[in-house]
Amino acid sequence: FLSCRLYCEEEKDPKRRSCQTVLAEALDIVVRSFAPILPHLAEEVFQHLPYKKDPEGVFRTGWINVSSAWKKPGIEEAIEGACAMRDSFLGSISGKNALEYEVVIVIEPGLLFELMEALQAEEISSDSQLNEIMMTSQTTLLSELPKETPTDANIIKGNFLINLEGGDIREDSSYKVIALPITKAKCPRCRRYTSDSSSALCPRCLKVMAGKGST
């Protein structure tokens, strides 16, 4: 989903910029980590960073210093929970293209549902963080099984243990993932099945391209 954020979102979109920030932070940590054993390589990488020009070099700018702003309670558990659901879904489609599906995630009201809401505030989305993690074209987040669920639907059941505050908050939550073949056409720009026609851009890409034309 990194490639979708980097190449499909508008240049200054917060989603794209946040992705760049994470990649830059990860690279900084990796370079400083191997600097003691590969000093020349580390220095060369550090001096060629396009967004950071520091004449003192990697060895005079200190060791790894991760900001506390990266530590947000619940985010790690939310990502791990979403990844567990994604792995359950991917295992059920036997190597098929995940983008050719939409998923409906059903979680009873509780802590796990709240964590997933942090990744997708709206009920249905094709560009939320939760949908990006699921690697599908569309994700629906519900608190109960939809009444119109097909009788032959592929329903994957699973459990996820939430462990917060050093174990002070623990909750074993169950979830269901319903995998459905997507009915929309592939967007020629973002390659997701979110368009009304194979020759037309999806609503998200139309918005991005309209913004480019106005600048």
Side-chain angles (χ1 to χ4, degrees), residues 110-203:
L111 187 53
L112 182 59
F113 186 83
E114 293 175 5
L115 291 175
M116 292 307 104
E117 280 190 313
L119 301 177
Q120 178 170 305
E122 57 271 38
E123 184 175 288
I124 302 174
S125 178
S126 60
D127 59 2
S128 67
Q129 294 182 71
L130 179 58
N131 187 70
E132 290 177 341
I133 293 171
M134 295 301 295
M135 301 170 61
T136 59
S137 285
Q138 181 175 287
T139 296
T140 301
L141 179 61
L142 300 174
S143 58
E144 59 182 15
L145 203 66
K147 296 180 180 179
E148 64 276 11
T149 303
T151 55
D152 60 344
N154 180 17
I155 303 179
I156 308 106
K157 299 179 181 180
N159 288 78
F160 181 73
L161 177 62
I162 300 170
N163 193 342
L164 290 171
E165 303 294 337
D168 291 340
I169 301 176
R170 292 172 61 88
E171 183 176 296
D172 190 11
S173 302
S174 61
Y175 62 82
K176 297 181 181 72
V177 179
I178 307 172
L180 303 169
I182 197 74
T183 57
K184 293 189 176 182
K186 181 192 288 187
C187 172
R189 181 174 180 271
C190 69
R191 317 303 289 177
R192 288 185 175 180
Y193 291 80
T194 51
S195 179
D196 294 329
S197 168
S198 59
S199 59
L201 298 181
C202 68

Side-chain angles (χ1 to χ4, degrees), residues 51-82:
Y51 50 85
K52 181 186 292 185
K53 299 296 182 181
D54 196 326
E56 293 189 342
V58 66
F59 291 101
R60 294 181 178 274
T61 54
W63 185 236
I64 298 170
N65 183 22
V66 180
S67 171
S68 59
W70 291 98
K71 189 66 176 178
K72 294 184 178 180
I75 292 298
E76 181 179 353
E77 287 73 17
I79 298 297
E80 289 180 350

